[in-house]
Each structure stands twice: as structure tokens, then as C-alpha cells.
Amino acid sequence: MLRQRNGYRWLLALFSAGLLLLVSWLSRPSAPSVSLAPRAYAQVPKVDISKVPLRVWQMFGGTPFRNMVNTVEKGLPAEWHIGDPKRKIPPKNIKWVAKLGSQAYGNPVVYGGKIFLGTNNGGLRNPRDAVIKKGNELIPVDKGILMCFREADGQFLWQAVHDKLPSGRVNDWPEQGICSSPYVEDHRVYYVSNRCELVCADTEGFYDGKNDGVQDEKYKDKIDADIIWRLDMMEELGVFPHNLAVCSPLVVGDMVYVVTGNGHDESHENIPAPRAPSFLAVNKFTGKVLWESNLPGDKILHGQWSNPCYAEINGQPQVIFPGGDGWLYAFEPRSGKLLWKFDCNPKNSKYILGGRGTKNEIIATPVVYEGRVYIQVGQDPEHGEGVGHLWCIDPSKASPTNIDLSPVNDNFDPKAPENKNSGLVWHVGGQDKDGKLLWRRGLSTCAVHDGLCYVANLSGFVACFDARTGEKYWEYDTLSAIWGSPYVVDGKVYIGTDEGIVYVFEHGKKLRLLAKNEMDAPVLSTPIAVNGVLYVMTRQNLYAIAETK
């Protein structure tokens, strides 16, 4: 049984609901289980990390490499207190607090003096989005919400409001809102709505009195979103998201890359649209699909809830897609040509619905650091604890004649003769001879810095490994489930738990716990820092935390 685990249901689908097959998919032509030919080309320049804006956090992971590390911010507090009026304890190091919905999973990003995040309508910013009960009580209607706040003081500015899908929980799980962490640049914010739409919106909303882009927005109050374009992946591409589409878009050059969320229906035994795309490249100015891949096709284990990353290996740009079959797939960014793939599960593993098996999908986001890819496997958190695997991969082994970089014959020794063409650098996981789990399933993305790899698993263990060899330096048991990721900044490692505690460790090879900070609700997101302020999103509030002067 998962220790101290609350019963959130954003991934679980054990009830009958929704459509078995999208009507629009019936008219789509057959497509092979490989990348489709490109429809157009867009500019994809090489990414120079030195030119990425420093005092922003514009996407999940901060940069296209998705590494949960910030090397710029300094002077962040290790300790704070949200305050407790009942015990007459004043807040400590709390700059401001912003009210969110009743649940919030879309990790915040900060850009251009604004903060964007995903939540639900439980916070009810507009009475229009409520039903009136007796006594004029306003009851929020369940909707997906992208909120925008002012960075300086947490002032609410505007929100994007998305109605729930009529098909119900099979495609759009109740009360989860928008779980996509947006990408922001210039005057545009990109995200995936609860309706499985890739959306590009103006960062000013209708607050500026202008309607840019499309003119058919359903909601046009001053505090509503100004949509530039939208791509309905269900209607236009035949995608069937399992429970919720949640991808945090990746933007490189003129292209947006997104995991569509295609997956099983409520039976968990049928994939309604195996030929629908699982991964897309889209023109960021127009929303036009440039190329698509339906990998892994009919091999999807459950749903697809991860995010892509970008890498340049030996001068070769590539976008890396975590597939719902537990494989990583790397594509040439402009054309969609498959460059390499890696199986993150042992060949002898088996997937059994409900978490009883040993085969996992990928929910964490792959991270690129010094030419290596770091990733762990996991499952729907409602499936509980189980065997996991943590990998370090060298994509430079790939070539036109060597695309499959997986370990051979479940031999996880990178020096073994049969692995001479494998991309395996190191591996942690599986079971020892006594049946003890050497690593457990996880949702967390790695944070790799100064030769150290920090990662957490769903069971609540936070660990520090040698990024080059996989040697474990330390491990700490929080005794609580962990959904978010470790965040390295200012010589510290921050991570939140399902019990609502943010742990702060000293960055380094030796375990040193600096502080345990109690919040008001579970922290299922990842802390981030911008302009001397640490942001921690709980299930219901966003806290701006800074040293009190």
C-alpha cells in the first residue's frame, strides 16, 4: 500500500464513460507505425544554453533540456512558515499568496513579469462560470483553467476557461483542470487544454482590450483569454486521450512539439485510435501540423502523460519523445525521421493493469545533461508502488544502422560485449536476489548538476547519484508519496510531498537535511525560482517565498 497517499483520481479510469471511438477517426486513412512524411519545414536552430534568458522560467524544466536546475538565483530561503492564525504564528518569508482552484497540477512558469499555471475552476474568478443555488450561493462549474498572475504581487490578471468534454472522465477526468505546464515566450503562451487542444494565446488576455488571432472565443470578458490559434487534437487528428491530455509543450525555433495523450478507452483493453498521432510537430505561428508520429501505435500500455525534451548530440539536433510503451524515441526535429530508440523496461517485464506487473510507461520527463539522457519509468500513481528503473543513456551511439540503443538480453552491464552498440551508460533498478526493490516507480524528472543526479520516486525516496557512474551517494525516505521533482538552486535541493511538506537538502554528495517546511495542502508540483523568489504551488494556493528584509 502506498504510504500516506491521498486518493487523487486524475489518471485512474475504472468506471465506464465516454465514447469508444471518435467518429472523426473513422474517415482517417491508414497510417504506418512510423513517423509520417513531413508536411512542411520550419526553422529549428541549434539551442545555445548561454542565450536562454536567465531570470525567467518559461517552460517545464526551464530550458528545452528540461533539467530541473537553476544556476542563477541566489539568496533563497531554506526555511519559511505560511503562518497559523489559530496558533498566532505569523508568516515568515512569505511575500504573497494567490488563490488557485480546488486542485492544481499545471506547474507554474514565469516570464515577462507574469506567472502562468494550470488549475481547475474551484477558485471561481468569474461568477459566470457557476450555478446559483438557493440563497444565491455560487457553486463553481467544473472547468479547466489556465491562470495568469502578476509576478510582483500575485495580482490575478486573466484566465483561460475551457469547458469539460462531453465524453466525460474517459477523456477529461473530473476536477483535474488543466495539468499542462505552459510554455511562454514574447507575447504568446502555449499549453494543452483539458479538451486535448494545443492552444496558443496572447499573454495579455482580453485585459488589453484587443482580440488578436481567432475571433470565435466562447468567453470574451475582460479577464478571459485571447486565443491566437488552437489545434483540436481529438477533432482534427482523431486522438483519444486516456483520462486527460497533460503535455507541457516544447518550443524550439519555429516549432512546437507535443505529446497528444493518445491511449486506451475505459475498458483498459482497447486502444480506439492506434493510428492517431502520439507525437506532433506544429508551426508555432499558425498551429499547422508539420509532421506527426503514431509511435508506439497499438503498444500503448495505458495513457501518455509525459513531455518531450530537446538535445544536440554530436551536432545532431533531436527531439526526444517518451512513449506510452516505455520506450524513448528521438526524432530529427524538422522531418520527424527516427534517429534512435531505447527500451526503458527489461525485456522480461510484463504489464498488468492495476500496477501488479513489472513493466512501466514513462511519466517523468527526459533530461539532457552533458550529452546524456536521464529518465525513470513509472505508472499512474493510483497503481501504487512497484519495481522501477532509472537510466542514463548515451545517444551518441546512434547511427543509421544502429537505431535501437537498448541493452541486449537484459544485460545491464554497459561494458558487456553484447552492449558495445548500446546507449546504456548506467542503470539502477529491478530487484536484488532477495527480492528487494533497488529502485521504485516514479513520476519525478531528474535534476542533474555538478556531476550529481537527484531524483525521487513515488514511494517517497529522494536519492543522489553520481551522474556519470550511477553510484548512489545518499537516499532519504520522506515517508510520503512524491509526485513532483527535485529542484536544484542556490546550493539547495527543494522537493515537495503529498503530505504537504517541502524538504530542503544541501546540494552535495553528503546527505544534509536543511529544513522541512509545512504547507497548507499537498505539494504535487515542483518548486521553481525566479528573480530571488521561490514559488511553491500547493493543491490550492501559489506561494511566493523570499527572504524577509
Side-chain angles (χ1 to χ4, degrees), residues 220-247:
K220 296 185 179 182
D221 289 352
K222 186 177 181 179
I223 62 170
D224 284 319
D226 182 2
I227 305 300
I228 304 301
W229 56 258
R230 68 175 75 84
L231 172 64
D232 188 329
M233 295 183 285
M234 295 181 71
E235 180 67 26
E236 299 180 43
L237 302 174
V239 170
F240 192 94
H242 182 76
N243 293 167
L244 202 62
V246 303
C247 180

mmCIF file of all heavy atoms in Angstrom, residues 220-247:
data_model
loop_
_atom_site.group_PDB
_atom_site.id
_atom_site.type_symbol
_atom_site.label_atom_id
_atom_site.label_comp_id
_atom_site.label_asym_id
_atom_site.label_seq_id
_atom_site.Cartn_x
_atom_site.Cartn_y
_atom_site.Cartn_z
ATOM 1 N N LYS A 220 -15.462 35.970 -23.582
ATOM 2 C CA LYS A 220 -14.762 37.180 -24.002
ATOM 3 C C LYS A 220 -14.846 38.309 -22.979
ATOM 4 O O LYS A 220 -14.767 39.482 -23.335
ATOM 5 C CB LYS A 220 -15.305 37.653 -25.351
ATOM 6 C CG LYS A 220 -15.058 36.686 -26.498
ATOM 7 C CD LYS A 220 -15.517 37.257 -27.840
ATOM 8 C CE LYS A 220 -15.248 36.292 -28.976
ATOM 9 N NZ LYS A 220 -15.638 36.844 -30.303
ATOM 10 N N ASP A 221 -15.004 37.963 -21.714
ATOM 11 C CA ASP A 221 -14.934 39.003 -20.696
ATOM 12 C C ASP A 221 -13.511 39.546 -20.598
ATOM 13 O O ASP A 221 -12.565 38.949 -21.114
ATOM 14 C CB ASP A 221 -15.369 38.450 -19.339
ATOM 15 C CG ASP A 221 -16.865 38.165 -19.291
ATOM 16 O OD1 ASP A 221 -17.574 38.539 -20.255
ATOM 17 O OD2 ASP A 221 -17.322 37.562 -18.297
ATOM 18 N N LYS A 222 -13.356 40.641 -19.892
ATOM 19 C CA LYS A 222 -12.044 41.282 -19.776
ATOM 20 C C LYS A 222 -11.014 40.355 -19.156
ATOM 21 O O LYS A 222 -9.817 40.440 -19.464
ATOM 22 C CB LYS A 222 -12.161 42.565 -18.947
ATOM 23 C CG LYS A 222 -10.879 43.376 -18.896
ATOM 24 C CD LYS A 222 -11.073 44.678 -18.133
ATOM 25 C CE LYS A 222 -9.782 45.488 -18.109
ATOM 26 N NZ LYS A 222 -9.947 46.780 -17.382
ATOM 27 N N ILE A 223 -11.442 39.444 -18.290
ATOM 28 C CA ILE A 223 -10.493 38.554 -17.626
ATOM 29 C C ILE A 223 -10.378 37.203 -18.322
ATOM 30 O O ILE A 223 -9.815 36.255 -17.761
ATOM 31 C CB ILE A 223 -10.859 38.342 -16.145
ATOM 32 C CG1 ILE A 223 -12.238 37.674 -16.008
ATOM 33 C CG2 ILE A 223 -10.805 39.647 -15.378
ATOM 34 C CD1 ILE A 223 -12.539 37.229 -14.576
ATOM 35 N N ASP A 224 -10.879 37.098 -19.560
ATOM 36 C CA ASP A 224 -10.783 35.851 -20.316
ATOM 37 C C ASP A 224 -9.562 35.863 -21.228
ATOM 38 O O ASP A 224 -8.912 36.887 -21.429
ATOM 39 C CB ASP A 224 -12.051 35.620 -21.137
ATOM 40 C CG ASP A 224 -13.218 35.140 -20.297
ATOM 41 O OD1 ASP A 224 -12.989 34.292 -19.411
ATOM 42 O OD2 ASP A 224 -14.348 35.624 -20.499
ATOM 43 N N ALA A 225 -9.275 34.700 -21.805
ATOM 44 C CA ALA A 225 -8.105 34.519 -22.654
ATOM 45 C C ALA A 225 -8.380 34.966 -24.084
ATOM 46 O O ALA A 225 -9.474 34.755 -24.613
ATOM 47 C CB ALA A 225 -7.674 33.058 -22.642
ATOM 48 N N ASP A 226 -7.372 35.537 -24.688
ATOM 49 C CA ASP A 226 -7.403 35.920 -26.100
ATOM 50 C C ASP A 226 -6.655 34.846 -26.879
ATOM 51 O O ASP A 226 -5.420 34.787 -26.848
ATOM 52 C CB ASP A 226 -6.738 37.290 -26.266
ATOM 53 C CG ASP A 226 -6.766 37.785 -27.711
ATOM 54 O OD1 ASP A 226 -7.333 37.090 -28.571
ATOM 55 O OD2 ASP A 226 -6.195 38.864 -27.966
ATOM 56 N N ILE A 227 -7.393 33.966 -27.549
ATOM 57 C CA ILE A 227 -6.799 32.829 -28.238
ATOM 58 C C ILE A 227 -6.274 33.260 -29.607
ATOM 59 O O ILE A 227 -6.995 33.899 -30.389
ATOM 60 C CB ILE A 227 -7.822 31.684 -28.412
ATOM 61 C CG1 ILE A 227 -8.420 31.293 -27.050
ATOM 62 C CG2 ILE A 227 -7.168 30.487 -29.088
ATOM 63 C CD1 ILE A 227 -7.425 30.816 -26.045
ATOM 64 N N ILE A 228 -5.039 32.893 -29.900
ATOM 65 C CA ILE A 228 -4.439 33.175 -31.204
ATOM 66 C C ILE A 228 -4.787 32.067 -32.185
ATOM 67 O O ILE A 228 -5.254 32.306 -33.288
ATOM 68 C CB ILE A 228 -2.916 33.335 -31.086
ATOM 69 C CG1 ILE A 228 -2.571 34.418 -30.058
ATOM 70 C CG2 ILE A 228 -2.300 33.653 -32.444
ATOM 71 C CD1 ILE A 228 -3.139 35.786 -30.368
ATOM 72 N N TRP A 229 -4.535 30.842 -31.788
ATOM 73 C CA TRP A 229 -4.966 29.672 -32.565
ATOM 74 C C TRP A 229 -5.109 28.476 -31.634
ATOM 75 O O TRP A 229 -4.572 28.466 -30.534
ATOM 76 C CB TRP A 229 -4.027 29.348 -33.726
ATOM 77 C CG TRP A 229 -2.576 29.119 -33.402
ATOM 78 C CD1 TRP A 229 -1.549 29.995 -33.573
ATOM 79 C CD2 TRP A 229 -1.977 27.912 -32.861
ATOM 80 N NE1 TRP A 229 -0.361 29.436 -33.162
ATOM 81 C CE2 TRP A 229 -0.581 28.155 -32.737
ATOM 82 C CE3 TRP A 229 -2.471 26.674 -32.466
ATOM 83 C CZ2 TRP A 229 0.298 27.209 -32.233
ATOM 84 C CZ3 TRP A 229 -1.585 25.708 -31.964
ATOM 85 C CH2 TRP A 229 -0.225 25.987 -31.851
ATOM 86 N N ARG A 230 -5.841 27.488 -32.083
ATOM 87 C CA ARG A 230 -5.990 26.240 -31.322
ATOM 88 C C ARG A 230 -6.002 25.071 -32.290
ATOM 89 O O ARG A 230 -6.513 25.173 -33.416
ATOM 90 C CB ARG A 230 -7.267 26.254 -30.471
ATOM 91 C CG ARG A 230 -8.538 26.211 -31.245
ATOM 92 C CD ARG A 230 -9.767 26.105 -30.337
ATOM 93 N NE ARG A 230 -10.083 27.354 -29.684
ATOM 94 C CZ ARG A 230 -10.814 28.328 -30.244
ATOM 95 N NH1 ARG A 230 -11.242 28.196 -31.507
ATOM 96 N NH2 ARG A 230 -11.090 29.422 -29.592
ATOM 97 N N LEU A 231 -5.422 23.973 -31.853
ATOM 98 C CA LEU A 231 -5.436 22.726 -32.620
ATOM 99 C C LEU A 231 -6.179 21.689 -31.788
ATOM 100 O O LEU A 231 -5.685 21.242 -30.747
ATOM 101 C CB LEU A 231 -4.005 22.259 -32.911
ATOM 102 C CG LEU A 231 -3.850 20.873 -33.553
ATOM 103 C CD1 LEU A 231 -4.476 20.848 -34.940
ATOM 104 C CD2 LEU A 231 -2.378 20.460 -33.613
ATOM 105 N N ASP A 232 -7.367 21.309 -32.238
ATOM 106 C CA ASP A 232 -8.177 20.303 -31.543
ATOM 107 C C ASP A 232 -7.673 18.925 -31.974
ATOM 108 O O ASP A 232 -7.988 18.442 -33.074
ATOM 109 C CB ASP A 232 -9.651 20.479 -31.894
ATOM 110 C CG ASP A 232 -10.571 19.599 -31.050
ATOM 111 O OD1 ASP A 232 -10.135 18.498 -30.651
ATOM 112 O OD2 ASP A 232 -11.722 19.998 -30.798
ATOM 113 N N MET A 233 -6.901 18.292 -31.117
ATOM 114 C CA MET A 233 -6.260 17.040 -31.499
ATOM 115 C C MET A 233 -7.235 15.868 -31.563
ATOM 116 O O MET A 233 -6.959 14.864 -32.231
ATOM 117 C CB MET A 233 -5.105 16.752 -30.541
ATOM 118 C CG MET A 233 -3.981 17.779 -30.642
ATOM 119 S SD MET A 233 -2.547 17.426 -29.589
ATOM 120 C CE MET A 233 -3.183 17.890 -27.955
ATOM 121 N N MET A 234 -8.378 15.968 -30.883
ATOM 122 C CA MET A 234 -9.396 14.931 -30.996
ATOM 123 C C MET A 234 -10.175 15.081 -32.300
ATOM 124 O O MET A 234 -10.312 14.138 -33.073
ATOM 125 C CB MET A 234 -10.345 14.989 -29.800
ATOM 126 C CG MET A 234 -9.698 14.668 -28.471
ATOM 127 S SD MET A 234 -10.857 14.713 -27.068
ATOM 128 C CE MET A 234 -11.848 13.252 -27.357
ATOM 129 N N GLU A 235 -10.656 16.279 -32.548
ATOM 130 C CA GLU A 235 -11.487 16.532 -33.720
ATOM 131 C C GLU A 235 -10.703 16.451 -35.020
ATOM 132 O O GLU A 235 -11.153 15.864 -36.001
ATOM 133 C CB GLU A 235 -12.142 17.909 -33.594
ATOM 134 C CG GLU A 235 -13.033 18.296 -34.768
ATOM 135 C CD GLU A 235 -14.278 17.450 -34.880
ATOM 136 O OE1 GLU A 235 -14.729 16.920 -33.835
ATOM 137 O OE2 GLU A 235 -14.808 17.323 -36.004
ATOM 138 N N GLU A 236 -9.505 17.041 -35.031
ATOM 139 C CA GLU A 236 -8.758 17.156 -36.283
ATOM 140 C C GLU A 236 -7.812 15.993 -36.547
ATOM 141 O O GLU A 236 -7.486 15.715 -37.704
ATOM 142 C CB GLU A 236 -7.974 18.463 -36.289
ATOM 143 C CG GLU A 236 -8.854 19.710 -36.194
ATOM 144 C CD GLU A 236 -8.051 20.995 -36.205
ATOM 145 O OE1 GLU A 236 -7.101 21.088 -37.008
ATOM 146 O OE2 GLU A 236 -8.353 21.896 -35.397
ATOM 147 N N LEU A 237 -7.365 15.310 -35.489
ATOM 148 C CA LEU A 237 -6.359 14.266 -35.665
ATOM 149 C C LEU A 237 -6.814 12.899 -35.181
ATOM 150 O O LEU A 237 -6.087 11.925 -35.320
ATOM 151 C CB LEU A 237 -5.063 14.667 -34.947
ATOM 152 C CG LEU A 237 -4.443 15.991 -35.385
ATOM 153 C CD1 LEU A 237 -3.248 16.331 -34.499
ATOM 154 C CD2 LEU A 237 -4.010 15.938 -36.846
ATOM 155 N N GLY A 238 -7.996 12.818 -34.590
ATOM 156 C CA GLY A 238 -8.522 11.534 -34.154
ATOM 157 C C GLY A 238 -7.910 10.993 -32.886
ATOM 158 O O GLY A 238 -8.038 9.809 -32.570
ATOM 159 N N VAL A 239 -7.241 11.830 -32.092
ATOM 160 C CA VAL A 239 -6.607 11.395 -30.853
ATOM 161 C C VAL A 239 -7.668 11.019 -29.814
ATOM 162 O O VAL A 239 -8.713 11.664 -29.712
ATOM 163 C CB VAL A 239 -5.688 12.514 -30.310
ATOM 164 C CG1 VAL A 239 -5.194 12.193 -28.900
ATOM 165 C CG2 VAL A 239 -4.516 12.739 -31.260
ATOM 166 N N PHE A 240 -7.387 9.973 -29.052
ATOM 167 C CA PHE A 240 -8.275 9.556 -27.972
ATOM 168 C C PHE A 240 -7.479 9.599 -26.666
ATOM 169 O O PHE A 240 -6.821 8.626 -26.274
ATOM 170 C CB PHE A 240 -8.807 8.144 -28.217
ATOM 171 C CG PHE A 240 -9.943 7.746 -27.310
ATOM 172 C CD1 PHE A 240 -11.258 7.910 -27.712
ATOM 173 C CD2 PHE A 240 -9.697 7.200 -26.057
ATOM 174 C CE1 PHE A 240 -12.313 7.541 -26.874
ATOM 175 C CE2 PHE A 240 -10.727 6.830 -25.212
ATOM 176 C CZ PHE A 240 -12.046 7.006 -25.626
ATOM 177 N N PRO A 241 -7.497 10.749 -25.954
ATOM 178 C CA PRO A 241 -6.706 10.841 -24.727
ATOM 179 C C PRO A 241 -7.298 9.978 -23.623
ATOM 180 O O PRO A 241 -8.513 9.956 -23.433
ATOM 181 C CB PRO A 241 -6.792 12.328 -24.364
ATOM 182 C CG PRO A 241 -8.106 12.773 -24.952
ATOM 183 C CD PRO A 241 -8.250 11.986 -26.232
ATOM 184 N N HIS A 242 -6.426 9.294 -22.910
ATOM 185 C CA HIS A 242 -6.900 8.485 -21.787
ATOM 186 C C HIS A 242 -6.909 9.338 -20.528
ATOM 187 O O HIS A 242 -5.853 9.738 -20.021
ATOM 188 C CB HIS A 242 -6.021 7.255 -21.586
ATOM 189 C CG HIS A 242 -6.492 6.362 -20.482
ATOM 190 N ND1 HIS A 242 -7.574 5.513 -20.618
ATOM 191 C CD2 HIS A 242 -6.070 6.206 -19.210
ATOM 192 C CE1 HIS A 242 -7.773 4.865 -19.489
ATOM 193 N NE2 HIS A 242 -6.876 5.271 -18.604
ATOM 194 N N ASN A 243 -8.099 9.637 -20.042
ATOM 195 C CA ASN A 243 -8.340 10.404 -18.811
ATOM 196 C C ASN A 243 -8.044 11.890 -18.939
ATOM 197 O O ASN A 243 -8.809 12.718 -18.475
ATOM 198 C CB ASN A 243 -7.566 9.843 -17.623
ATOM 199 C CG ASN A 243 -8.045 8.472 -17.182
ATOM 200 O OD1 ASN A 243 -7.369 7.809 -16.412
ATOM 201 N ND2 ASN A 243 -9.182 8.020 -17.669
ATOM 202 N N LEU A 244 -6.918 12.271 -19.566
ATOM 203 C CA LEU A 244 -6.583 13.692 -19.668
ATOM 204 C C LEU A 244 -5.341 13.860 -20.540
ATOM 205 O O LEU A 244 -4.393 13.078 -20.435
ATOM 206 C CB LEU A 244 -6.307 14.272 -18.274
ATOM 207 C CG LEU A 244 -6.445 15.786 -18.103
ATOM 208 C CD1 LEU A 244 -7.860 16.259 -18.394
ATOM 209 C CD2 LEU A 244 -6.051 16.191 -16.688
ATOM 210 N N ALA A 245 -5.362 14.876 -21.378
ATOM 211 C CA ALA A 245 -4.162 15.292 -22.104
ATOM 212 C C ALA A 245 -3.442 16.322 -21.235
ATOM 213 O O ALA A 245 -4.057 17.297 -20.801
ATOM 214 C CB ALA A 245 -4.531 15.892 -23.459
ATOM 215 N N VAL A 246 -2.151 16.114 -20.978
ATOM 216 C CA VAL A 246 -1.477 16.917 -19.949
ATOM 217 C C VAL A 246 -0.131 17.498 -20.392
ATOM 218 O O VAL A 246 0.555 18.132 -19.606
ATOM 219 C CB VAL A 246 -1.236 16.080 -18.675
ATOM 220 C CG1 VAL A 246 -2.534 15.519 -18.144
ATOM 221 C CG2 VAL A 246 -0.233 14.962 -18.933
ATOM 222 N N CYS A 247 0.255 17.304 -21.631
ATOM 223 C CA CYS A 247 1.624 17.616 -22.044
ATOM 224 C C CYS A 247 1.989 19.087 -21.839
ATOM 225 O O CYS A 247 1.184 19.985 -22.070
ATOM 226 C CB CYS A 247 1.828 17.253 -23.513
ATOM 227 S SG CYS A 247 3.496 17.597 -24.120
#
